[in-house]
Amino acid sequence: MRKFLLLIRRFWTLILFISLEVISIYFIAKSRSTQGIDVINSANGTVAYFYRKEQNIISYFNLKKVNTDLLKENTALRNQLFYRQSVDTFKTVDAKIPIFDYDKIDRDQDSNALAPVTMTITENPPLKVVRYAQYRFIPARVINNSISNDRINFITINQGSEAGIKPGMSVVSSVGIVGRVEHVSKHFATIASVLSNRKVSARLKLHEAFGQITWIPGHPDFVQMDNMPITLPIKLRDSVFTTGFASFPANILVGRVSHIDTVKSDNSLSLRIRLATNFRTLAFVYVVVDGMNAEKENLEKKDRSAR
Amino acid sequence: MSIYLRNIIRFVLLILIQVLLLNRIPLNWWAPPYIAFVYPLFILLLPISTPTTFLMVFAFFTGLTMDAFMNTGGIHAMACVTIAFSRRKVLAFFLPQRLSEYQNATPGPKIMSWGSFLAYAAILMLIHNLVYTLVEIWALQSFWYYLAKTGITFLTSMAFVVIYLLLFTKSVNIKAFD
């Protein structure tokens, strides 16, 4: 026994070395097995906590890239959504027309004479799909923004004619309307925002009443909607949407009613609307490309000349 | 600063450098992507008079820490225990006196010369990389691939070891640069 203890003492380092290596090999073997029962891994509480803290710090560095990616994805989703919305389908259906032949003489002989005779007009109607007013969105980043001018406020974005932007296109943000493209260069474009003397047609969602909104100079958060009929039961926080008459697509949020005034001189309501878009922190916008706009304007020009 | 505190700080620092910096840079200078290792320096820089048994236990837990961070099971622990086991022999080869006579001294350019310290570090880092790459590949079917990966890992690791020493050694032996 004593000799055995001496032996252990003599080779103590070697025994410890071999046992530690064997433990390591055991860990490795466990981790290589497919059941995922490794003893040491980074899902362990302390290491996971450490990695989470690290991620908290590091994630700030690629926020810009993440934002750009999200913007791209949003644009793609928006494009898809509008593609779905602007589809109409209709079918040429079988028309069944009853024909009663009252004026037949031998009516009594044929008891079934009163039964309607059906006549099929079309067989196997093809499904027709109609697409119209395809809106397309171009993402852009705001690189200059003003809200303090009294007459007209401009926003500069980092996309221009190279991306397909033309003057007159409408611009929306992820939550509401922004404005209309004013000037375009190769890589930049300026937008006259809603905070200017340009008018936008809008309608109240609940009551289907439409009117025009104008900006109240000096308030970057509010626009005004005049001449609403006093009979409308308008409530505070009713939402206001675009109409789709002008270049803005329909049903884009303008804002919510925050103030209702009665104008006694002409018995109408004047609504003050808090804009959905926060122009102070505007960072990303979408330029709306209306595929049917040229055709529509051409047609309306004929009306104007006929007048 | 006491020698215990200094070693604990060095341990944390080296693990942080390895996990936050080097593990994030998969180098791709030659074909296989690889990672440079600088954390074995903790075992190399433990006091000279540390007994091998303690060395091996420390090395085992250092390796396990790295394994936890890198999801490698126990490969780092294995490689670290190997270099801790062979450290004493290598160190004795480069130091003139008996190892027990160096009380509380850290192996480094201050006690040895730069040349002999780098040779000592190179031998142990080479052993570490040989064991690590061997267990990681777990097959010798392509021997040249194994050698190439070990060699390039070793060279870059040594570069980072030298950078670490230049950054964090307090009084570098100026004579070495004359």
Side-chain angles (χ1 to χ4, degrees):
Chain A
M1 191 63 199
R2 196 167 162 274
K3 270 192 175 174
F4 181 65
L5 282 177
L6 273 177
L7 196 74
I8 287 181
R9 230 186 116 161
R10 195 171 160 207
F11 293 106
W12 167 232
T13 317
L14 193 65
I15 291 167
L16 184 69
F17 171 69
I18 290 169
S19 54
L20 284 178
E21 295 286 47
V22 166
I23 295 172
S24 303
I25 290 170
Y26 170 75
F27 283 159
I28 296 169
K30 276 267 184 193
S31 75
R32 296 278 169 113
S33 71
T34 45
Q35 282 93 1
I37 41 167
D38 18 344
V39 187
I40 310 287
N41 63 4
S42 65
N44 145 346
T46 323
V47 176
Y49 173 82
F50 181 83
Y51 271 138
R52 203 167 59 236
K53 285 280 166 213
E54 186 210 359
Q55 203 52 48
N56 282 349
I57 298 166
I58 285 182
S59 61
Y60 281 104
F61 296 119
N62 46 19
L63 272 190
K64 198 172 167 187
K65 195 186 168 298
V66 171
N67 270 341
T68 319
D69 289 352
L70 283 179
L71 190 70
K72 272 185 199 153
E73 192 188 342
N74 259 345
T75 316
L77 290 176
R78 248 164 200 270
N79 283 338
Q80 259 186 32
L81 188 70
F82 268 81
Y83 194 65
R84 295 262 182 283
Q85 274 181 0
S86 59
V87 168
D88 268 0
T89 54
F90 63 83
K91 235 179 186 177
T92 29
V93 231
D94 287 12
K96 293 197 166 137
I97 303 169
I99 300 169
F100 297 96
D101 40 0
Y102 288 109
D103 29 34
K104 270 202 171 171
I105 307 155
D106 48 354
R107 181 177 163 177
D108 292 327
Q109 293 160 4
D110 194 356
S111 56
N112 285 334
L114 263 179
V117 179
T118 50
M119 195 172 83
T120 309
I121 292 179
T122 50
E123 281 175 9
N124 251 350
L127 189 74
K128 285 191 180 166
V129 179
V130 179
R131 290 211 164 87
Y132 60 91
Q134 288 170 356
Y135 292 109
R136 200 159 58 76
F137 291 85
I138 302 169
R141 210 151 61 79
V142 173
I143 54 175
N144 188 20
N145 189 0
S146 83
I147 52 169
S148 55
N149 293 344
D150 278 330
R151 250 173 53 76
I152 185 161
N153 281 296
F154 281 109
I155 297 168
T156 316
I157 57 172
N158 69 343
Q159 298 283 356
S161 57
E162 213 175 43
I165 296 175
K166 292 193 188 78
M169 287 176 174
S170 56
V171 182
V172 299
S173 73
S174 53
V175 284
I177 61 170
V178 171
R180 202 166 300 164
V181 177
E182 199 76 11
H183 306 290
V184 176
S185 70
K186 198 179 175 195
H187 297 292
F188 299 100
T190 54
I191 302 162
S193 70
V194 181
L195 312 179
S196 62
N197 48 13
R198 313 291 154 94
K199 285 176 174 139
V200 178
S201 69
R203 80 188 158 78
L204 284 153
K205 169 92 174 175
L206 288 178
H207 315 294
E208 295 291 335
F210 55 85
Q212 280 191 326
I213 57 168
T214 43
W215 177 49
I216 318 162
H219 293 273
D221 292 329
F222 295 103
V223 288
Q224 204 160 329
M225 198 171 175
D226 288 329
N227 294 326
M228 298 306 290
I230 202 164
T231 47
L232 283 178
I234 297 168
K235 282 193 276 268
L236 288 180
R237 297 190 59 73
D238 276 359
S239 41
V240 179
F241 287 87
T242 53
T243 51
F245 297 159
S247 54
F248 279 109
N251 294 324
I252 285 180
L253 188 64
V254 174
R256 290 175 196 284
V257 177
S258 73
H259 218 263
I260 304 169
D261 287 326
T262 316
V263 183
K264 286 198 172 154
S265 58
D266 57 351
N267 249 1
S268 67
L269 290 179
S270 169
L271 310 176
R272 185 183 276 212
I273 295 156
R274 179 180 275 278
L275 285 166
T277 311
N278 187 353
F279 282 91
R280 298 168 207 269
T281 58
L282 197 64
F284 295 103
V285 293
Y286 303 100
V287 180
V288 184
V289 181
D290 188 349
M292 300 284 181
N293 198 31
E295 193 182 326
K296 190 178 128 198
E297 272 183 0
N298 232 348
L299 197 66
E300 285 174 355
K301 207 185 283 170
K302 273 183 202 162
D303 285 353
R304 241 169 275 143
S305 59
R307 215 179 283 156
Chain B
M1 209 178 348
S2 90
I3 197 143
Y4 298 104
L5 190 61
R6 196 184 302 165
N7 275 295
I8 289 168
I9 290 174
R10 186 184 295 136
F11 174 77
V12 173
L13 190 66
L14 278 169
I15 293 286
L16 284 183
I17 290 175
Q18 182 68 50
V19 171
L20 295 183
L21 245 57
L22 295 184
N23 284 4
R24 305 272 160 203
I25 323 169
L27 296 165
N28 219 345
W29 294 344
W30 274 270
Y34 61 96
I35 291 167
F37 295 118
V38 79
Y39 79 97
L41 206 53
F42 169 71
I43 301 154
L44 304 198
L45 290 182
L46 280 171
I48 296 174
S49 50
T50 321
T52 313
T53 44
F54 284 112
L55 267 182
M56 284 195 296
V57 173
F58 290 148
F60 184 68
F61 284 106
T62 314
L64 277 193
T65 315
M66 279 316 298
D67 284 324
F69 278 112
M70 291 181 67
N71 279 326
T72 40
I75 310 182
H76 283 291
M78 197 170 169
C80 283
V81 169
T82 317
I83 60 169
F85 180 69
S86 46
R87 188 186 103 140
R88 205 175 168 81
K89 295 235 164 56
V90 180
L91 204 54
F93 181 75
F94 284 105
L95 283 174
Q97 298 164 25
R98 291 166 62 87
L99 294 189
S100 51
E101 287 171 20
Y102 295 92
Q103 280 299 322
N104 285 347
T106 304
K110 245 159 93 181
I111 283 189
M112 311 150 88
S113 68
W114 265 93
S116 56
F117 179 76
L118 282 185
Y120 153 72
I123 292 171
L124 291 185
M125 290 299 278
L126 187 61
I127 295 174
H128 178 275
N129 288 330
L130 280 170
V131 174
Y132 177 81
T133 320
L134 179 66
V135 183
E136 200 203 6
I137 296 176
W138 203 246
L140 273 181
Q141 48 197 354
S142 55
F143 185 69
W144 294 112
Y145 174 81
Y146 165 63
L147 274 195
K149 191 163 179 181
T150 314
I152 190 61
T153 312
F154 164 69
L155 285 180
T156 14
S157 300
M158 278 311 289
F160 280 107
V161 164
V162 172
I163 291 172
Y164 177 89
L165 286 174
L166 289 175
L167 282 176
F168 293 105
T169 311
K170 231 185 226 165
S171 52
V172 178
N173 196 355
I174 306 290
K175 277 179 193 163
F177 295 112
D178 286 345

